[in-house]
Every structure is written in structure tokens, then in C-alpha cells.
Amino acid sequence: MTPRPDGTLRRALRRLPRPPSLDRGRAVRALLAFALAFGSVTAVAGVEYGAFAAMGCYLDAYGNRDPYPRRATLTALLTGGFVLSFFAASLAAGHTWAMVAVLSLVAVAATLFVDTLDLSGPGGYFVVLVAALGAFLPPADPAEAAVRSGLVGLGAACAWLFGTIGTRTSPHRPEQRAASTALKDVAAFARAAAGAGPGPPDGPLADARQRACASLHRAWTALDETRPGWRRRGPDALRLALHTLLTRLEGVLEVVEDSLCEDGAPVPGPWPRLLLDTAGQVRAGRVPDPWPGPAAAPGGPAPCAATAPWPAPLPPRRRPGDEVRRLYAPSSPFPAVALRVGLAVAGGTTIAALVPVLHPAWVAVGAAAALQGGPWRRPTWRSGWRLAGTVLGVGLTAAAFHSYEPGVWVTVALASAGHALYRGLPRSSLFVRTMLSTPVALLIADAATLGRPGLGDLATYRLLDVSLGLALGMATTLLVRGIPVRRVRAAVQGAVAATAAALLDRLRTGSADPRSLGKAWEALAALWTMYAAVPAEEIRTTRTAAQLWPTLLALRRLLAWNLLAPPGLLGPGEADRTGAYLDALSTAAGAGLPGSPEIRAALPSPSLPGHPDLARRLADLHRALASSPPAITGRRRRGGHLWRRVLRRR
């Protein structure tokens, strides 16, 4: 017998990507909401009206990773947005220029709402899709449009009900999952650092550090969003335990970071296993066991004791209206993003009105899909996978229904099953999700038009229209640049200035001021948002994110020192000298991007304090602002930009 090649096929099979994991709980909730809304209205009023309720169920794309108090409020507001956008689009149906205006305004408003309020989900994509479905239908009088919009609201209410049902069964699950992920990623970083030893992190170790920092940032954000902004109410026992745990985790991360320095002590061996055990307890919904950590760390007590009372280091609680005013902040990236989406939708709808396509509304959907809805990827990536998924989804639909028109309840069953499947898939599986969502949208549109012009023909025209929209969306990215550099500079300067103010209060009073520390964490969160948004809007990489990362890491370490270091005062003269140096750093940060010639020329000469740990961190910030990112040489290493898969909420 001829021997088989030694493991060649087996190694090739191992290289194949694993199938995407399915969030069964989310899939079941989506199935129940969709089937209840679509099925009940179909049974009472017919499938053409049931389709409108099914459109409202697209609300379940939003808020899945938000804590329940915030999720309930924002998705309730978004339900009103679904209803209003569908009503306006229904009135504009059949009038080209009215459709252009309505769909463009809906795209801009939905993008600003979802992104500015940091609601998890695919931007304003599904709001545009619902409005486009309303514009796709034959024109209706105001009374009929109001009835259809009410059914859209009914479907959205079903999705809202099943999306917030966990408020009663597991009210802390989102923040527990975020904290558990942070514990696991810090454990992985600690294990990698223990194996690597002192030295600058590179390769897998640098990726592990990015994952740990981003996951811990996401955990703090999730815990912050559990605090109501309009009621004064203290934390319950579990949230207080999570706050204490995350404060200690900051100290653990600092010890791991210090182990990479030349004179740093190694990471204690039991820490990774202890972190993983604690992560399991938190994810299971239990209050973690008391975790004192090691008795001491080199140079003093271990920095894993909870030294800050609630709510520090969380930012000061603002009223809900303050969230909307973030639109006017010079460091917000979202006005530029919303403008680009609105221009793409307007251009796509206008051009589609002049060429022989089935309907301009589908082109608007394709243009919006090219610019948002992907998991922190560039438009080229989103457009390519969406086009491939649309082609396969249309092909499957056309093959299955070429000579067979599904009945009423077959339509309800197939649409409900497809909706549940693609809701349960992770955001990274954009190709599979698009492949499943395309037949669902076609089934809904076919039901709403009572089978005219037929599902097979509808699928063919959908492919042509969406492909044209994706191409126009890509063209918009070439004509309209992404986030302006001045907004990136404003985010960097704001974070440096707020960190400098918090450090100055610490140096002059001897202890951290909760209010200034909270404002500094808030400014750092804005820089995190900018760091995540910049590469998602680039047609080709500009290396801006690589320029921001060292500064982001240095600021984060300074704030961690401010939070965790034991109380102590610098001498009066030394504190004033360090404060002047911090002010000069803040001013220089607005001169240009980190590493640019403008910022290097504006940076002051280092004037470091006598405290060795603080001096080292300030030197890291000075170096991060002055140093250029390494140039790309050869093939990009695998695993880069892992932060986009970690920081993919919203």
C-alpha cells in the first residue's frame, strides 16, 4: 500500500479558518421577536402588513454589548427613529428628489445618533435600510403610511422587549462579560511577558499588550455606562465589586508593564492562573472571591489594592443632554463620518435615478453599506466582503425561488430562521452575515409587494443595485477624505491637557483628585474613540493609528500611576517645575500629530521630577510625542491591528 504524505492534508485542514461561533442566546431572542412580530401581524392583517413589522425587528442589531440601563433607553429612542424615517421615506416614495433628501438626512442623522452616543451596532446602516424599504414600496397616502409606520414600531417594540429581557434575569451580564474578557486578556499578557523577559515588546507580545489595554478600557466603559445620568443612586454590591476588581487589575497591568523594563522584576508566577480563575467567576455571575494579590511587589506594597473609592477613576457623571453636545467637540470624529455617509447616499440615489435600475433605494443601501456596518475595517474590506456575500445570497435566493414562489408561512418561517442565524453570528463574519441577510431582505420586500415583480427578478435587480451602491460608496471615500487631521490633533491635545491637569493636582496635594482624574479618563476615552475610528475611514492606511498608539499607551500609564501610587508630595519647587513642563507638553501636543516635525519642534526640553517612576512615565510620553512610527517594510506581520477586534463595540 502506498503511504500517504506525512501530514500534508492534515496540516492544510488545520490552516482552514474555523467556522464562526454562534451566540445562541442572541439568536433565540432574535428568532422569537421576529417570528412574533412577523407571524402575528401576518395572521391578523396579511403578509403584506406583516412585512412592515418584520422591518422593525432590525432594531435588534443595536445595543447588544451595552449595559441594560443604557441599552433600554437608547434603543427606545432609536425605535422612534425607525418609525419616523420609514414614515418620511414612505411619503417620498415615487418622487426622486424627495427620496434623495429623505434618505440622505436619515443617513446623516442615524450615523450621528448611533456613533456619537456610542451605541453598539452597525452605525446607521439598518436605519437607512428600513427607510430604503419604505421608499422602495409603491407610494402611499399619509394614512396608509402612518399605518405601515405603526407596524414598523410594533416590530421594533418586540425587538426592544426581547433585547432588554435580561434586565430581570441577569441585569449585570454585559459588564460582567466585559470584565471577564479584560481579566483573560491581562492574564494572557502576563503569561507572554513572563516568557519574554525584559525588553521592548514586539510581535505577539505587543499584540497581547494591545488586547489587554483595550479590553480593560472596554470594561471600564461598560461599568461607567451602568450609572444613570439623571438619578443619584449608589452602586449595588456586584457593581462595587467589579469596580474594586478593575482597580486592582489596573495595578496588575502596571506590574506586568514594569516587568518589561530593564530593571523590572518578573511577573509573579501565580498571577495568570489567578486572573483566569477570577475571570471564570465573574463570567458565571458570581461575586469574585477576595483577591489580595501578592504581599508585596519590588519597591513597596503591591499596587493591586483598591486605593480609589467609587466612582474614581470613572469620569464625572453627566446629564443625558451632555452626550448630544459631544457632537460639537472638536475632537469628535463623527461629523466627518456622517457627512461622508450622507454624501454617498445622496450621490448614489441621484445617479440611480438616471440609470435603468429597479429602484434607487437599493443603491442607497449599498452606498451606506460600503461606509459603515463593518467591524472596524476599512471601506475596501467592507465593500469586498459585502459584495461577495450579496452575490452568494442573491445566487442562493434566485436558484431556490426561480420557479417557485414561497407561500405566506414559508416566507415567515424562512425569514425568521435567516434573521436569527445572522444575528447570532459575530460581527467579524461579515461575509456570512451578508449572505444570510440578503435573502431575508428580499423575502420581506417580496412579501410587502405581494410578489411583484417576483422573488427571482427582485434578487437579480437587488444584486445590480447594491453593487452600484457599493461602487459609489467606494468612490465617495476617494473624493471625500476621512477624519480631518485637526480633529485628531484636538483629541491628542485634549487627552494630554486633561492628564497634565490631573497629574498637577496630584503633585500639589499629594493625592489624586477624583474629579480631575475622572475628566482625564474621559479625555483618554475620546482618544481611544479616535484611535479606533481613524483606520475604519481610510481607503489606504495613513499610519495615523500607529502614530497615536504610543501616546495613548503613555497617557494611560500616567493616569494609572496617578490612581495607584501611594500618597506623597513633591517639593514645592519641583512640583512647579514639573507643572510648567506638563503645560508645555499640552501646548506642543496641538502643533501636529505625534511624530510630526511640527510637534518635535514645539516640544520642550525634558524637565523630569525626582520621582523615578513618574520621571520614566513622563519620558515615555515625551518620546511618544516625538517619535515617528516605524515604516512598513515587506509583508505586514500577521495579527496586526488586533485592537480592532478587541475594541469593536459600537
Side-chain angles (χ1 to χ4, degrees):
M1 184 175 65
T2 304
R4 292 182 299 176
D6 185 18
T8 303
L9 179 60
R10 188 175 302 174
R11 287 195 301 272
L13 291 175
R14 278 200 297 265
R15 292 193 190 100
L16 293 176
R18 295 181 179 180
S21 59
L22 186 69
D23 186 343
R24 295 181 180 86
R26 189 182 185 190
V28 169
R29 291 192 299 271
L31 175 64
L32 294 176
F34 197 92
L36 176 63
F38 198 2
S40 60
V41 177
T42 297
V44 173
V47 69
E48 67 274 20
Y49 287 101
F52 302 126
M55 295 175 195
C57 292
Y58 283 125
L59 182 76
D60 60 7
Y62 297 95
N64 184 58
R65 292 177 297 278
D66 291 272
Y68 286 114
R70 177 181 174 85
R71 181 190 308 185
T73 302
L74 293 185
T75 51
L77 293 175
L78 194 59
T79 297
F82 269 54
V83 173
L84 291 176
S85 61
F86 185 86
F87 181 73
S90 298
L91 295 180
H95 307 283
T96 300
W97 298 113
M99 260 197 309
V100 170
V102 168
L103 292 180
S104 303
L105 289 175
V106 166
V108 172
T111 303
L112 288 176
F113 178 86
V114 174
D115 290 346
T116 302
L117 296 181
D118 207 18
L119 178 64
S120 60
Y125 170 69
F126 278 106
V127 186
V128 176
L129 176 60
V130 168
L133 287 171
F136 171 78
L137 299 174
D141 57 65
E144 178 66 16
V147 171
R148 295 175 178 179
S149 302
L151 293 175
V152 171
L154 176 63
C158 289
W160 181 90
L161 177 64
F162 282 94
T164 58
I165 198 171
T167 305
R168 299 295 180 186
T169 58
S170 53
H172 302 298
R173 183 170 179 79
E175 53 265 35
Q176 285 174 326
R177 295 180 68 173
S180 175
T181 301
L183 286 161
K184 290 180 180 177
D185 287 338
V186 174
F189 178 39
R191 186 180 297 110
D202 192 18
L205 181 58
D207 294 337
R209 179 167 69 172
Q210 283 186 318
R211 275 196 302 266
C213 294
S215 295
L216 190 50
H217 167 70
R218 289 295 334 127
W220 277 120
T221 302
L223 189 62
D224 173 42
E225 290 171 350
T226 63
R227 298 185 295 155
W230 51 89
R231 282 179 284 175
R232 292 186 177 274
R233 186 174 63 186
D236 55 23
L238 185 55
R239 287 185 179 130
L240 195 58
L242 289 177
H243 176 269
T244 303
L245 182 64
L246 292 182
T247 306
R248 292 177 174 180
L249 192 58
E250 287 283 354
V252 171
L253 184 58
E254 285 302 298
V255 172
V256 178
E257 290 272 12
D258 289 339
S259 71
L260 301 176
C261 301
E262 292 298 332
D263 55 347
V267 177
W271 279 18
R273 172 50 53 190
L274 184 60
L275 290 168
L276 290 176
D277 292 343
T278 307
Q281 294 177 14
V282 171
R283 195 172 187 86
R286 299 194 300 271
V287 176
D289 297 332
W291 180 35
C304 56
T307 59
W310 176 274
L314 298 176
R317 188 75 298 202
R318 298 171 298 177
R319 292 173 297 179
D322 295 334
E323 298 285 338
V324 179
R325 283 191 283 273
R326 291 170 57 187
L327 276 175
Y328 306 108
S331 59
S332 173
F334 302 122
V337 175
L339 178 62
R340 176 190 272 185
V341 174
L343 289 175
V345 170
T349 311
T350 303
I351 293 175
L354 306 177
V355 297
V357 298
L358 180 62
H359 207 282
W362 292 119
V363 182
V365 172
L371 298 176
Q372 56 187 352
W376 299 113
R377 304 289 184 142
R378 290 199 292 268
T380 49
W381 189 95
R382 289 193 292 259
S383 298
W385 284 113
R386 281 195 183 278
L387 180 60
T390 300
V391 169
L392 187 55
V394 165
L396 293 175
T397 305
F401 302 110
H402 176 68
S403 57
Y404 166 70
E405 190 68 25
V408 171
W409 295 108
V410 172
T411 298
V412 173
L414 290 177
S416 301
H419 181 82
L421 281 176
Y422 83 78
R423 275 291 174 266
L425 291 172
R427 294 181 68 208
S428 55
S429 303
L430 188 58
F431 168 73
V432 182
R433 286 168 63 94
T434 307
M435 181 190 69
L436 293 172
S437 65
T438 298
V440 173
L442 291 172
L443 286 168
I444 292 175
D446 184 64
T449 56
L450 293 177
R452 297 185 300 270
L455 195 56
D457 294 337
L458 189 64
T460 303
Y461 281 109
R462 156 94 178 192
L463 175 60
L464 297 175
D465 297 349
V466 172
S467 301
L468 175 60
L470 290 170
L472 292 173
M474 286 296 301
T476 306
T477 63
L478 296 173
L479 298 175
V480 182
R481 67 176 185 177
I483 300 169
V485 175
R486 69 177 185 278
R487 290 187 173 270
V488 183
R489 286 202 311 265
V492 175
Q493 186 179 23
V496 174
T499 303
L503 278 175
L504 194 56
D505 287 343
R506 174 75 159 78
L507 296 176
R508 287 176 176 170
T509 62
S511 59
D513 176 62
R515 191 162 192 82
S516 64
L517 182 60
K519 290 182 178 179
W521 282 106
E522 186 177 341
L524 187 66
L527 186 57
W528 271 110
T529 301
M530 183 64 73
Y531 174 61
V534 164
E537 302 302 323
E538 295 175 337
I539 190 70
R540 296 182 63 183
T541 181
T542 61
R543 304 286 288 159
T544 303
Q547 289 175 271
L548 294 179
W549 170 247
T551 303
L552 182 59
L553 181 62
L555 291 172
R556 197 187 183 290
R557 296 208 67 202
L558 279 170
L559 288 179
W561 179 88
N562 196 351
L563 173 70
L564 299 168
L569 284 169
L570 294 179
E574 189 175 17
D576 292 340
R577 188 178 69 253
T578 305
Y581 174 60
L582 290 171
D583 290 340
L585 280 181
S586 304
T587 304
L593 292 179
S596 64
E598 295 82 5
I599 199 172
R600 284 200 295 268
L603 280 173
S605 300
S607 177
L608 303 178
H611 192 290
D613 193 14
L614 178 59
R616 183 171 68 246
R617 293 167 195 251
L618 285 174
D620 289 342
L621 176 59
H622 191 285
R623 191 179 308 111
L625 291 172
S627 302
S628 301
I632 302 176
T633 57
R635 184 179 178 182
R636 189 182 67 185
R637 60 182 175 83
R638 297 182 63 184
H641 302 301
L642 283 171
W643 57 271
R644 280 185 287 182
R645 297 199 293 272
V646 178
L647 196 65
R648 63 187 180 193
R649 162 189 195 306
R650 334 282 183 228

